[in-house]
Amino acid sequence: MDISARTFTPPLPQLRTGLEARLACRAGAISGSTAGFAPGYVQGNLAILPKDLAADFLRFCQQNPKPCPIIGISDPGDPHVPALGGDLDIRSDVARYRVWRDGELIEEPTDLFACWRDDLVTFVLGCSFSFEEALLADGLPLRHIETGRHVAMYRTAVACAPAGPFAGPLVVSMRPFTPAHAIRAVQITSRFPAVHGSPVHLGLPHLIGIKDLAEPDYGEAAAINDDELPVFWACGVTPQAVIAAAKPAFAITHSPGSMLVTDLRNTQLAVL
Amino acid sequence: MDISARTFTPPLPQLRTGLEARLACRAGAISGSTAGFAPGYVQGNLAILPKDLAADFLRFCQQNPKPCPIIGISDPGDPHVPALGGDLDIRSDVARYRVWRDGELIEEPTDLFACWRDDLVTFVLGCSFSFEEALLADGLPLRHIETGRHVAMYRTAVACAPAGPFAGPLVVSMRPFTPAHAIRAVQITSRFPAVHGSPVHLGLPHLIGIKDLAEPDYGEAAAINDDELPVFWACGVTPQAVIAAAKPAFAITHSPGSMLVTDLRNTQLAVL
């Protein structure tokens, strides 16, 4: 889930597949969130790093698979990620990017042709859109979608396993559920380890260093009813925050909400 | 889990299989709990009813599969349940029985030869020993086993779906877990629907009518640490309580803790 990923909007009828969504981005027809685009297709978080940092970042992801589930990785300098789409150019197929130099956000272009380098390695990480689709399909209500808000996210006191310059706290997203729905949500999301998988915590937020659920670090607070428990999933904001903190000389991410829409189906990520 | 099923005792080396355990019961060598017998083999709750009540009870079980997961059922009058063991005589292979008339417990014999009738139908229902074995094998601690107590059980405000004379509240067992272990316990027990399956509730006991965790209706209270949540599973005491409340003219159950040990392996009950 991205920092400011908007809730599911009605799907655009003309963007039925991952390829159609990417072609629309490539054509400059999309400038914001891809939430609701190409229902059923996997959307991913983007992290692009120079080769000399990519090995450390890869190790970081492998050591922290719940916040950083890799679903695609490119060869150095190659703007294609064949595993995620046959006609996929990472320089143009995301609606809006963020370009970082020395940890500073310097621009938010709609393509990367001006700043592409032949040492860049692309990482695509799974996103909670996929498991949220599975939860909704099962009839579980998602408060942030019902109320048209961003999901609430929190920095925890749980440290990720560090790798090179990449280190920092686990960031989690929170969704309130009744106990029965929380149990069902554990079952459903456990099937999808490539998109954050099962929850990392539930019920006792202070144990992971969350002092006040009403004050999320990212996104917007969600009401938790008396008959509900807060359920926490590892969040794709974790690697973005870690990259920002590492202040690499050069890095590219997606602009919040502007995900890479792939050719993979969400159901293809189910482990069983 | 049976009302007074004792915690796992060290397995008796001579009772390595379900058949060996049954033969020991048959020989009169066992008079109490079968907890810890034949590790890896499925143990079951027993309910024996006259044919004229069996159809209603079967319907009750089918409508309430979490507390009443049927793993075996006999033909009327047949003391064998081939699905559960090749050499299995339900009249002798449980260590101690309870015989009920008009809802009154009238005796606790070690065999049923004196009271067997040719209209009796045997039901064997899954028991939490199986999923507890899977939890322990995964490294999850079970408080009641660590402290040598009975598991805590509670009548809830959740009504079972009634069938004929059979009706009553869902009874649940409670095990305290840290949030991470609770999530793992949901995953593990979800694989075993034939032995109560996933939890029915967690975290907010008042929502299911449990006023005071320190006052279980059956078994013994367990301490819940500050970093733990109570996790609730449907319990095999449910059908026993329902049968007692229905006051059938004649019924037989096992004596608490004296389960039927079958030839099935616990792992064979895993759905995946």
Side-chain angles (χ1 to χ4, degrees):
Chain A
M1 186 66 187
D2 199 89
I3 291 179
S4 68
R6 270 286 163 198
T7 57
F8 284 118
T9 51
L12 304 184
Q14 71 274 32
L15 301 178
R16 289 164 304 185
T17 68
L19 178 59
E20 287 176 6
R22 291 198 304 279
L23 292 176
C25 292
R26 196 182 299 179
I30 310 294
S31 59
S33 171
T34 53
F37 285 19
Y41 287 84
V42 174
Q43 302 198 21
N45 294 287
L46 186 64
I48 301 176
L49 290 164
K51 185 181 175 183
D52 63 355
L53 282 170
D56 280 338
F57 187 69
L58 176 54
R59 198 155 46 89
F60 182 82
C61 293
Q62 289 182 317
Q63 291 180 160
N64 300 282
K66 295 203 86 158
C68 309
I70 296 174
I71 59 171
I73 188 166
S74 76
D75 288 334
D78 187 346
H80 308 103
V81 188
L84 299 182
D87 181 357
L88 186 159
D89 189 322
I90 206 66
R91 298 167 299 185
S92 57
D93 290 4
V94 168
R96 193 171 291 278
Y97 303 83
R98 285 185 161 178
V99 179
W100 306 78
R101 287 190 194 276
D102 301 318
E104 295 291 312
L105 173 62
I106 57 164
E107 57 173 339
E108 295 200 68
T110 58
D111 70 63
L112 299 177
F113 291 107
C115 65
W116 189 254
R117 297 168 19 171
D118 64 7
D119 68 339
L120 294 178
V121 177
T122 296
F123 295 86
V124 183
L125 308 178
C127 142
S128 63
F129 285 175
S130 299
F131 79 65
E132 288 188 339
E133 186 176 271
L135 294 171
L136 290 168
D138 206 68
L140 270 61
L142 292 174
R143 177 75 29 82
H144 67 287
I145 290 181
E146 291 178 342
T147 56
R149 297 192 176 197
H150 301 192
V151 76
M153 291 165 275
Y154 305 86
R155 278 190 298 272
T156 70
V158 179
C160 293
F166 301 109
L170 173 70
V171 178
V172 294
S173 59
M174 188 282 289
R175 294 163 187 79
F177 287 112
T178 63
H181 281 164
I183 291 164
R184 186 67 184 139
V186 170
Q187 293 178 316
I188 291 170
T189 58
S190 292
R191 299 180 63 225
F192 294 97
V195 287
H196 304 309
S198 59
V200 293
H201 196 81
L202 82 174
L204 300 171
H206 62 282
L207 292 182
I208 55 172
I210 299 174
K211 291 183 177 59
D212 185 356
L213 288 174
E215 297 289 341
D217 296 296
Y218 310 94
E220 296 170 276
I224 301 177
N225 298 332
D226 287 346
D227 64 346
E228 294 176 330
L229 298 167
V231 184
F232 300 92
W233 277 267
C235 178
V237 168
T238 308
Q240 297 181 46
V242 159
I243 289 172
K247 300 188 188 304
F250 187 73
I252 300 167
T253 64
H254 62 288
S255 184
S258 290
M259 316 301 280
L260 176 69
V261 190
T262 76
D263 287 356
L264 295 179
R265 310 284 185 136
N266 287 325
T267 54
Q268 291 178 293
L269 296 185
V271 290
L272 48 95
Chain B
M1 189 66 188
D2 199 273
I3 292 179
S4 68
R6 270 286 164 196
T7 57
F8 285 116
T9 50
L12 305 183
Q14 70 274 32
L15 301 178
R16 290 164 301 184
T17 68
L19 179 58
E20 287 176 4
R22 290 196 305 279
L23 292 177
C25 293
R26 195 182 299 176
I30 310 295
S31 59
S33 171
T34 54
F37 285 20
Y41 286 84
V42 174
Q43 302 198 22
N45 294 287
L46 186 65
I48 301 176
L49 290 163
K51 184 180 175 183
D52 63 356
L53 282 170
D56 281 337
F57 187 68
L58 176 55
R59 195 156 47 88
F60 182 82
C61 292
Q62 289 182 318
Q63 291 180 159
N64 301 282
K66 295 202 86 160
C68 308
I70 297 174
I71 58 172
I73 188 166
S74 76
D75 288 335
D78 187 344
H80 307 104
V81 190
L84 300 183
D87 181 357
L88 187 159
D89 189 322
I90 206 66
R91 297 168 299 185
S92 57
D93 289 3
V94 168
R96 192 172 291 279
Y97 303 83
R98 283 185 162 180
V99 179
W100 306 77
R101 287 189 194 276
D102 301 317
E104 295 292 312
L105 173 62
I106 57 163
E107 57 173 338
E108 294 200 68
T110 58
D111 70 64
L112 300 176
F113 292 107
C115 65
W116 189 254
R117 297 168 20 172
D118 65 7
D119 67 340
L120 294 178
V121 177
T122 296
F123 295 86
V124 182
L125 307 178
C127 143
S128 62
F129 285 175
S130 298
F131 79 66
E132 289 188 338
E133 185 176 272
L135 294 171
L136 290 168
D138 206 67
L140 271 63
L142 293 174
R143 179 75 29 84
H144 66 289
I145 290 180
E146 290 178 343
T147 56
R149 297 192 176 198
H150 302 191
V151 75
M153 291 165 275
Y154 305 86
R155 278 189 299 271
T156 70
V158 179
C160 293
F166 300 108
L170 173 69
V171 178
V172 294
S173 59
M174 187 283 288
R175 293 162 188 81
F177 286 111
T178 63
H181 281 163
I183 291 165
R184 186 66 184 140
V186 171
Q187 294 178 316
I188 292 170
T189 58
S190 292
R191 300 179 63 224
F192 294 96
V195 287
H196 305 307
S198 59
V200 293
H201 195 81
L202 82 175
L204 300 170
H206 62 281
L207 293 182
I208 54 171
I210 298 174
K211 291 182 176 61
D212 185 356
L213 288 174
E215 298 288 342
D217 296 297
Y218 310 94
E220 296 170 276
I224 300 177
N225 298 332
D226 288 346
D227 64 346
E228 294 177 330
L229 298 167
V231 184
F232 300 91
W233 277 267
C235 178
V237 168
T238 308
Q240 296 180 47
V242 159
I243 289 172
K247 299 188 188 304
F250 187 73
I252 300 167
T253 64
H254 61 289
S255 184
S258 289
M259 317 301 280
L260 176 68
V261 190
T262 76
D263 287 356
L264 295 178
R265 310 283 185 139
N266 288 325
T267 54
Q268 291 179 293
L269 296 184
V271 290
L272 50 92

